Amino acid sequence: MLGATGLLGSKIYDRLHRNGHEVLPASRATGVDAYSGQGVAAALTGADVVVDALDMKTMSRRRATDFFTTCAKNITATAAEVGVGRLVCVSIYGADDPDAGRAYGYYAAKAAQERIYASAQVPATVVLSTQWFELIEDVVRRASLGPVTLLPAMRMAPLSADAAAAAVADVAMNPHSGPTVVVRGAEEADTLDLARVILQERGSIAGRRPRVLRQLPYLGRAIAGGALLPQEADTVVPGGIRDWVRAAH
Ligand SMILES: NC(=O)c1ccc[n+]([C@@H]2O[C@H](COP(=O)([O-])OP(=O)(O)OC[C@H]3O[C@@H](n4cnc5c(N)ncnc54)[C@H](OP(=O)(O)O)[C@@H]3O)[C@@H](O)[C@H]2O)c1
């Protein structure tokens, strides 16, 4: 389990572990660096399935592309060398949309990662998840200056990281999974709607009470206008943002 200390990876780890699987938690914290390759062969040797839930939080197209492609090449090549049975990689629905990738380099980097998994020698499934509710606080944090928050307009079908982790764990446990699996939330909303609900329900968002809260399409029209919305999905997770906020507190 690569990225086992992360938001999603820790939940996938717990789920697989609870289902009785022997799971090796791997990240730099456990001495495995997927970027440099250090410890990767030892971590992958003997694994039936390898799950990649790695991440680098950056707005830089160059840094994100370097990170995701280098890690994916190291993992797929090593998996073939040591005889791993299957690979599962977590990505984002719509990241491969050319307009979305042109406007937001992180998505182009995720699309490049997906392509490396799709052409791996070892059979691979890319789980394409929509955005998680947890992302909204991150977005607010990054888009705020003092009392002003200017959110990137994104049309989303969000779900919780818990639900996304359950879908990834199911894929890891299912030897018949195909090359892609799509998971989405049932309700569609804009970044601004989601931030407003969290603010209403909690009184603050990411520790802030913005006096000005707006959204602008600065990540491009595709991301604002529906490129991140799957028309068909393997799993549609019920429940919207209000249910999630109320269940969490
Ligand atoms: N947020 C969303 O709405 C959303 C939606 C769909 C898909 N996704 C995708 O889900 C994935 C996981 O995201 P997340 O938010 O759960 O990530 P996260 O919390 O930032 O966790 C990232 C993990 O990667 C590990 N890591 C980073 N660099 C590493 C390296 N060089 N070698 C080994 N491990 C490394 C980190 O552990 P160490 O620091 O210990 O190395 C950590 O365990 C991402 O690929 C993201 O694109 C996110």
Side-chain angles (χ1 to χ4, degrees):
M1 173 69 242
L2 292 159
T5 52
L7 171 61
L8 191 76
S10 56
K11 293 175 186 294
I12 301 169
Y13 174 89
D14 287 346
R15 196 144 181 123
L16 292 171
H17 190 67
R18 277 202 308 274
N19 274 275
H21 295 278
E22 193 187 325
V23 193
L24 179 85
S27 76
R28 289 168 301 179
T30 67
V32 179
D33 188 329
Y35 182 78
S36 71
Q38 188 195 342
V40 173
L44 267 53
T45 299
D48 299 322
V49 182
V50 169
V51 179
D52 173 348
L54 300 172
D55 199 13
M56 170 188 264
K57 306 268 189 281
T58 176
M59 292 297 285
S60 157
R61 173 185 305 265
R62 190 187 54 76
R63 289 188 68 216
T65 304
D66 181 42
F67 175 77
F68 283 112
T69 58
T70 304
C71 291
K73 285 177 188 165
N74 285 341
I75 295 161
T76 53
T78 308
E81 272 163 33
V82 304
V84 167
R86 286 194 303 125
L87 298 166
V88 179
C89 169
V90 181
S91 196
I92 302 168
Y93 183 86
D96 66 344
D97 180 286
D99 292 331
R102 251 190 303 279
Y104 186 24
Y106 177 86
Y107 282 177
K110 292 292 295 178
Q113 177 197 36
E114 290 171 21
R115 287 193 295 273
I116 293 167
Y117 275 92
S119 60
Q121 280 179 45
V122 175
T125 304
V126 177
V127 180
L128 297 168
S129 166
T130 52
Q131 286 63 42
W132 313 331
F133 297 128
E134 286 86 344
L135 178 73
I136 307 305
E137 293 217 314
D138 265 1
V139 172
V140 167
R141 210 170 285 122
R142 283 191 252 158
S144 296
L145 192 63
V148 178
T149 301
L150 294 180
L151 300 166
M154 299 169 80
R155 189 76 185 154
M156 302 178 227
L159 73 167
S160 67
D162 268 336
V168 177
D170 285 348
V171 168
M173 291 185 284
N174 178 3
H176 305 296
S177 303
T180 55
V181 167
V182 177
V183 54
R184 60 164 285 170
E187 294 180 9
E188 296 180 7
D190 288 329
T191 332
L192 185 61
D193 309 330
L194 297 164
R196 279 187 177 144
V197 171
I198 297 176
L199 201 52
Q200 269 170 14
E201 292 285 331
R202 292 188 183 158
S204 69
I205 180 162
R208 297 166 189 273
R209 289 183 182 75
R211 256 187 276 139
V212 178
L213 180 62
R214 305 247 191 290
Q215 67 176 13
L216 294 169
Y218 59 82
L219 290 184
R221 296 277 166 201
I223 287 173
L228 306 180
L229 298 175
Q231 295 312 307
E232 288 181 9
D234 299 277
T235 304
V236 180
V237 178
I241 183 82
R242 216 172 279 280
D243 307 305
W244 176 75
V245 179
R246 290 184 180 168
H249 292 272

